[in-house]
Amino acid sequence: MTLTELYCLMPIVITGCAALFVLLCGPLLLSSSLTAIGVTASAAAGIWAAFTAPAPIQCIPGLAFTPLAQLLIPLFSFAAALTLLLSHGYNERRILKGEEYPATVLFALFAMCVLPCATNMLILFLALESVSFAFYILVSMDLNRAESGEAGLKYLLMGAVAAAFTAFGFALIFTGSGTLALSAALTRPENRAIISAGWGVLILGMAFKLSLVPAHLWTPDVYQGAPSPVAAFLSTSSKVAAAALLLILLGHFPPMAELRVPLAALSVLSMVLGNLAALRQTNIKRMLAYSSVAHMGYLALALLTGSRDGYAAVLLYGAIYTAMNLAAFGAISSLSFEEEREQITDFTGIGFTAPVRGGVLALAMISLAGIPPTAGFIGKFFIFYSALKGGIVPLAVVGILSAAASAYFYLRVVAQLYMHRTESPAPKPVGFAEGLALCAASAAILIIGVYPGPLLEMVETALR
C-alpha cells in the first residue's frame, strides 16, 4: 500500500484504531476521557473524508475511496459523535459504566466507513453485518432495564434471519454474474433468472434492515427497549447504511423490471401502515418507530424510480432524516433521568419548564412532519418530486396523502409541549455535552431547511 492509498483510507484507520484503543485502555481512563476520545476520532474521520478527493482506483483489494464514501463517512461520523455526546450524561444517570459502550459505537462507525468504500459484494455484506452486530450489543447495553435485554434478543434473532436472506441473495447474484467485483458483475442475459432470484431474496433481507412492512415488526419493540441515544443512532445511521448498500448495487446492476412490483408493494405498505400505526401510539418511542417505517417507505419510493433524481433524493433524505431523528431522540434522552420519559403525556408543559429541550423536540417533530422552512420539507419535496418525475404518480399521491396524515401525530407532541401546563418540577438542567449535540442537530435542521444548496451539491458530487 502506498502513502496515497493509506491517505484515502485514513477514516477507516482512525476509527478502527480509536475503537481498539478505547477497548484496551478504557479501564485506565475516566468515562469523560473515553467520550472525548470517541468524539474526537469521529470528528477527525469525518473531516478527513470530507476534505479528501475520491480515488479512481482501489486502495487495497475490495476497498476504494469513492465519491459516495466522501459524502457518507462525514454523515456517519456526525451521527456517531452526536450519539456519544448524548450518551455521556444519559449513561451517567443510568449508571451505564465501562469502555464497552464508546468502543462499540466506534466499531459500528468503523464498519459504516468501510461500507461505502466497498467494491465487491463480500466486503459489502461483511460491513453491513458488522454494523448490525454492533447494534445487537448497544441495544441490550442497559442491564438495569429488562426491556433492553428483551429488545436486544429480538433484534438478534430477527437480524440473524435477515442476514441469512442477505447472504443467500448475494450468493445467487454471484452465481449468476460469476464474480464478486461490483464493477464486473454485469447482468448476463443467460443468467437473468438467477440474478433476479438473488435480488428478490436480497430485498427481503434489506426490508428487515430498513424496517419495511411486513419485515418491520421488530422495530417498535427494539426502539422502545433500547437506550434513547442508541435508538437515535440505530434509527438513522443503520438505515442510511442499508439504503447505501442498495444504491451501490443499483449503481452497478441495471435496475431490473422484476424489482418494481416488490419495491412498490414494500413502499406503499410502509408509507400507509407505518403512518396509520403511529397515529394510535401513546408511547413516543413507539410512535417514532412506526413513523420510521413510513419514512423508509419514502426512501423505497425514491429507489423505485431507478433514476439519478431518485437516488439523489435517497441520499438527501438520509442526511436530513439523520439530523431530525438525532434531535428527537436526543431531546427525549436528555429529559430522561431515573426512568425514561416515554409516554407522550410525560412531555406535558416541557416547552415551559425546559424551553431549550422542548424547543428542540418541537423543531424535530415539525421537521419530521415536513413543514417548511425545516429540512424535513426539503427532503419530502425531493422524494415526491423524483417520484412524480419518474412517472410513478399513483404511488407519489399515496405518499403525499400519508405524509399529510402524519402531521397529526407529530403535532400532537408539539401541542403537549406548549398547549398544556404542568405542576411537576422542572427537569434538571441539560449538560454541556448533551446541549452541544442538541444544538448541532437543530442547527442542521434549520440550515438545510433554509439553505439546502451545499448539501444538494454534495449529493450530486457523490453520484458522479
Side-chain angles (χ1 to χ4, degrees), residues 52 69 82 93 99 198 232 238 260 262 348-349 359 402 408 416 419 459:
T52 301
L82 263 61
R93 294 191 295 273
E99 67 283 358
S238 74
R260 294 186 64 81
T348 302
S402 64
Y408 170 76
Q416 204 70 35
M419 298 294 287
V459 167

Side-chain angles (χ1 to χ4, degrees), residues 34-226:
L34 297 175
T35 301
I37 292 170
V39 172
T40 304
S42 302
I47 292 171
W48 194 294
F51 291 97
T52 301
I57 58 172
Q58 291 191 33
C59 301
I60 59 174
L63 288 176
F65 189 70
T66 61
L68 189 63
Q70 191 185 26
L71 173 71
L72 290 180
I73 290 177
L75 177 63
F76 293 144
S77 301
F78 173 76
L82 263 61
T83 300
L84 288 167
L85 288 172
L86 290 170
S87 303
H88 183 68
Y90 180 92
N91 289 353
E92 285 190 342
R93 294 191 295 273
R94 307 285 304 173
I95 320 178
L96 297 178
K97 297 180 179 177
E99 67 283 358
E100 298 87 356
Y101 186 93
T104 309
V105 171
L106 287 171
F107 275 123
L109 178 59
F110 166 77
M112 289 172 189
C113 292
V114 170
L115 191 142
C117 296
T119 59
N120 74 46
M121 289 184 282
L122 183 60
I123 298 290
L124 263 184
F125 173 75
L126 291 176
L128 184 69
E129 290 310 314
S130 298
V131 172
S132 299
F133 195 80
F135 278 109
Y136 300 148
I137 300 170
L138 289 172
V139 166
S140 53
M141 190 66 80
D142 190 353
L143 301 179
N144 301 314
R145 295 172 64 227
E147 298 96 327
S148 182
E150 180 185 339
L153 181 61
K154 285 181 180 177
Y155 192 35
L156 173 63
L157 294 176
M158 295 296 292
V161 175
F165 276 111
T166 306
F168 190 42
F170 275 124
L172 286 173
I173 293 174
F174 169 66
T175 304
S177 61
T179 178
L180 285 171
L182 291 168
S183 59
L186 300 175
T187 305
R188 296 180 181 175
E190 67 274 16
N191 294 334
R192 187 179 180 87
I194 298 175
I195 293 176
S196 296
W199 264 108
V201 178
L202 181 63
I203 285 179
L204 283 175
M206 288 299 102
F208 168 85
K209 303 289 185 187
L210 290 169
S211 299
L212 293 172
V213 175
H216 70 292
L217 294 175
W218 62 273
T219 313
D221 289 343
V222 172
Y223 279 29
Q224 184 180 3

Side-chain angles (χ1 to χ4, degrees), residues 182-344:
L182 291 168
S183 59
L186 300 175
T187 305
R188 296 180 181 175
E190 67 274 16
N191 294 334
R192 187 179 180 87
I194 298 175
I195 293 176
S196 296
W199 264 108
V201 178
L202 181 63
I203 285 179
L204 283 175
M206 288 299 102
F208 168 85
K209 303 289 185 187
L210 290 169
S211 299
L212 293 172
V213 175
H216 70 292
L217 294 175
W218 62 273
T219 313
D221 289 343
V222 172
Y223 279 29
Q224 184 180 3
S228 292
V230 173
F233 198 29
L234 172 65
S235 66
T236 53
S237 296
S238 74
K239 302 293 178 64
V240 176
L245 183 143
L246 287 176
L247 277 179
I248 292 169
L249 289 175
L250 288 170
H252 291 277
F253 292 87
M256 305 173 76
E258 300 93 308
L259 299 178
R260 294 186 64 81
V261 172
L263 266 179
L266 291 171
S267 174
V268 170
L269 289 173
S270 301
M271 289 188 293
V272 174
L273 296 181
N275 281 321
L276 287 178
L279 283 170
R280 297 177 54 83
Q281 303 305 312
T282 57
N283 183 300
I284 193 168
K285 291 173 78 174
R286 293 184 75 86
M287 184 269 280
L288 288 171
Y290 279 112
S291 81
S292 79
V293 174
H295 285 281
M296 293 305 109
Y298 304 146
L299 287 189
L301 178 65
L303 283 172
L304 186 60
T305 64
S307 66
R308 185 185 179 88
D309 287 335
Y311 298 161
V314 169
L315 291 175
L316 180 70
Y317 202 77
I320 290 171
Y321 186 67
T322 298
M324 294 190 297
N325 255 29
L326 282 170
F329 279 106
I332 295 169
S333 167
S334 68
L335 289 165
S336 298
F337 295 95
E338 287 76 14
E339 297 291 334
E340 287 221 347
R341 199 185 292 259
E342 293 185 345
Q343 297 298 314
I344 293 176

